[in-house]
């Protein structure tokens, strides 16, 4: 006897017999395995118990108490008596039956002078009457979630089939672009895993990604609602600096003590692009080539002042790839392994970036790499991140420039 079992017993005594029929309880017991509370064998035993009680036991003044022995129940469901004993104990712990055995573990009824059962030592089903609405709601919710998951699975499978067909039939798609889209598709499939076991939320996000890939392959115009969301997000972003309770918007990432050459406006970034796969002088971190600086220069820590909202405005690829927008820097850091998986950045490159820059700045660098990879400006995200790590080691990495430049570019694109 436990405190939970004692509570279930007291709850069963408050049951209003007559409000639920035996047929309703039998259907409920048959459907309970879909909620995960019990398995199919326990459901079979519970249905057998419900059908054992006469119909009038569930009417007013009735007592739905079962007095069959474990041996008899084992014979009826084709299981051993020990298995039945364990299943009854599990049903008691779950709150689907209550039991009260006599001192010698016998089950028998206590009848009134008129022959009606008023009490007894046996398996009491009144707890099911008390919890019927609660359990029925659980069954309905589980069925609705299952239907949603099936619908999401069908749409995901259809989107995969459509994208593969488009990749195989579009004639004006270059081999490089085709290989890039196929690699993206394989990453999405790998993140989803076994589609039949994935949640409906994961399948919906994956479907949105695949459908977006189709739109890009077919060169369809950008959806109006996507531009509206980006513009609204830009308007709601917080300012980087504040003074005397008045926000002052500034795009200068470096403090005033820095030289003028380190201070530039976000709109001063060059907005033209090279061909897809380029990651050279037009990237906002000017020339990440290894030969553009001396490795043995004295280490100089850059002054990076950038807000999380600025990062979110600069990296719309987070929304594109179905990530939940982070609310804190810790949330952004937790997205790093998934961003690395999408872009193909190795664990070694990620660890080197974290060791050199710190967790927060490494997360920003990887997010910038994800955005440029999405814009087809970087063909080797892992090499790009390693180059940024080398620049950080030499004190020549200015992530804020990249962030503000990307944010300005995205804002101008949404306005156009």
């Amino acid at each position: 006897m436990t405190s939970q079992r004692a509570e279930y017993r007291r709850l069963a005594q408050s049951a209003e017999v007559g409000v639920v029929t035996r047929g309703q309880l039998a259907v409920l017991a048959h459907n309970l395995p879909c909620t995960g509370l019990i398995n199919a064998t326990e459901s079979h035993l519970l249905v057998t118990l419900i059908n054992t009680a006469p119909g009038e036991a569930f009417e007013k003044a009735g007592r739905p108490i079962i007095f069959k022995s474990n041996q008899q129940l084992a014979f009826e469901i084709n299981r051993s008596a020990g298995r039945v004993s364990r299943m009854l104990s599990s049903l008691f712990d779950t709150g689907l039956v209550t039991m009260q055995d006599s001192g010698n573990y016998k089950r028998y009824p206590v009848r009134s002078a008129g022959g009606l059962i008023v009490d007894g030592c046996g398996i009491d089903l009144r707890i099911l009457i008390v919890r019927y609405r609660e359990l029925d709601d659980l069954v309905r919710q589980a069925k609705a979630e299952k239907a949603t998951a099936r619908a999401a699975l069908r749409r995901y499978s259809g989107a995969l089939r459509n994208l593969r067909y488009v990749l195989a039939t579009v004639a004006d798609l270059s081999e490089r672009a085709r290989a890039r889209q196929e690699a993206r598709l394989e990453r999405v499939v790998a993140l989803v895993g076994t589609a039949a076991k994935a949640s409906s939320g994961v399948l919906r996000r994956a479907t949105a990604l695949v459908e977006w890939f189709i739109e890009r392959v077919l060169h369809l115009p950008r959806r109006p609602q996507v531009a509206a969301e980006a513009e609204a997000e830009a308007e709601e972003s917080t300012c980087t600096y504040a003074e005397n309770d008045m926000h002052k918007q500034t795009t200068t990432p470096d403090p005033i003590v820095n030289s003028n050459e380190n201070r530039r406006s976000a709109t001063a970034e060059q907005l033209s692009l090279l061909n897809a796969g380029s990651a050279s002088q037009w990237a906002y971190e000017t020339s990440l080539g290894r030969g553009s600086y001396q490795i043995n220069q004295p280490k100089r820590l850059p002054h990076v002042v950038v807000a999380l909202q600025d990062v979110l405005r600069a990296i719309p690829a987070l929304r594109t790839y179905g990530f939940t927008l982070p609310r804190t820097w810790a949330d952004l850091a937790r997205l790093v392994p998934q961003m690395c998986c999408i872009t193909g950045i190795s664990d070694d490159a990620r660890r080197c970036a974290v060791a050199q820059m710190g967790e927060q700045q490494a997360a920003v660098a990887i997010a910038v790499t994800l955005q440029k990879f999405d814009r087809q400006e970087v063909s080797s995200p892992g090499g790009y991140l390693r180059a940024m790590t080398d620049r950080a080691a030499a004190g020549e990495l200015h992530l804020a420039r990249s962030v503000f430049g990307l944010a300005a570019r995205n804002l101008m694109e949404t306005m156009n």
Side-chain angles (χ1 to χ4, degrees), residues 9-29:
R9 275 189 180 180
R10 187 171 61 177
L11 189 61
Q13 294 172 359
S14 65
E16 184 180 352
V17 183
V19 297
V20 180
T21 65
R22 183 177 65 175
Q24 289 175 309
L25 293 178
V27 172
L28 173 65

Side-chain angles (χ1 to χ4, degrees), residues 274 277-289 372 377 384:
L274 292 179
S278 174
S280 58
Q281 60 185 3
W282 295 107
Y284 294 112
E285 286 298 337
T286 56
S287 180
L288 288 176
K372 294 188 177 183
E377 297 177 19
Y384 189 82

Side-chain angles (χ1 to χ4, degrees), residues 295-362:
I295 297 297
N296 56 0
Q297 290 179 351
K299 187 172 182 180
R300 175 172 57 86
L301 294 177
H303 297 280
V304 178
V305 181
V306 61
L308 179 60
Q309 289 296 333
D310 295 323
V311 175
L312 298 182
R313 285 190 293 130
I315 316 296
L318 291 174
R319 186 190 300 274
T320 299
Y321 285 96
F323 291 111
T324 301
L325 292 183
R327 297 181 179 274
T328 63
W329 289 110
D331 293 339
L332 180 63
R334 281 191 286 268
L335 297 178
V336 165
Q338 301 178 50
M339 290 190 288
C340 291
C341 182
I342 290 176
T343 54
I345 296 174
S346 65
D347 290 339
D348 180 68
R350 174 176 60 85
R351 286 193 295 267
C352 290
V354 173
Q356 181 60 47
M357 308 179 199
E359 189 175 28
Q360 177 175 321
Q361 294 303 312

Side-chain angles (χ1 to χ4, degrees), residues 279 283-285 288 368-369 372 378 380-389:
Y284 294 112
E285 286 298 337
L288 288 176
V368 169
T369 305
K372 294 188 177 183
V378 172
S380 177
Y384 189 82
L385 180 63
R386 289 186 186 277
M388 297 176 75
T389 304

Side-chain angles (χ1 to χ4, degrees), residues 109-123:
V110 176
R111 301 181 181 273
S112 63
L116 298 177
I117 298 176
V118 295
D119 200 359
C121 295
I123 305 170

